[in-house]
């Protein structure tokens, strides 16, 4: 293999790994939303969830699509926001 082919293969492997990471975070986000929905999800977090999913799916990104770092960042921020918005269990709410 020449140098160009090697760089292409490395870039493809890195892009595939980042896509797998983004999809893993998306699955985690969907599971978190499902759990929080059962517990009484605040309305604002629904917009955060759907905004993050749309950002992952839409072709317009801050970085080109083979680089999924911005998608992963948006999904992680949505996950953090949703977990912060979850209602406290009765024992923790009283203290």
């Amino acid at each position: 293999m020449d140098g160009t082919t090697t760089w292409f293969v490395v870039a493809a492997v890195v892009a595939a790994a980042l896509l797998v990471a983004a999809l893993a975070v998306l699955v985690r986000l969907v599971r978190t939303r499902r759990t929080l929905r059962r517990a009484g999800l605040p309305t604002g977090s629904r917009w955060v969830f759907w905004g993050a999913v749309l950002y992952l799916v839409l072709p317009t990104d801050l970085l080109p699509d083979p680089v999924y770092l911005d998608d992963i960042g948006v999904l992680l921020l949505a996950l953090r926001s949703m977990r912060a918005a979850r209602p406290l269990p009765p024992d923790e709410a009283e203290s």
Side-chain angles (χ1 to χ4, degrees):
M1 284 197 287
D2 63 347
T4 305
T5 307
T6 304
W7 281 110
F8 181 72
V9 169
V10 168
V13 168
V14 168
L18 289 172
L19 178 60
V20 167
L23 292 175
V25 173
L26 178 62
V27 167
R28 197 167 160 199
L29 181 67
V30 169
R31 286 181 182 162
T32 300
R33 181 177 180 267
R34 190 175 300 142
T35 302
L36 293 176
R37 189 181 205 183
R38 288 183 200 135
L41 180 67
T43 306
S45 295
R46 289 185 187 148
W47 291 107
V48 171
F49 171 79
W50 287 114
V53 170
L54 281 174
Y55 187 80
L56 179 69
V57 175
L58 291 176
T60 308
D61 282 343
L62 294 174
L63 298 173
D65 252 350
V67 182
Y68 291 99
L69 292 176
D70 58 330
D71 297 302
I72 293 170
V74 167
L75 290 171
L76 287 174
L77 285 172
L79 184 63
R80 183 176 180 195
S81 171
M82 289 176 64
R83 286 187 182 237
R86 72 175 177 233
L88 292 175
D91 334 352
E92 294 180 30
E94 294 173 1
S95 54

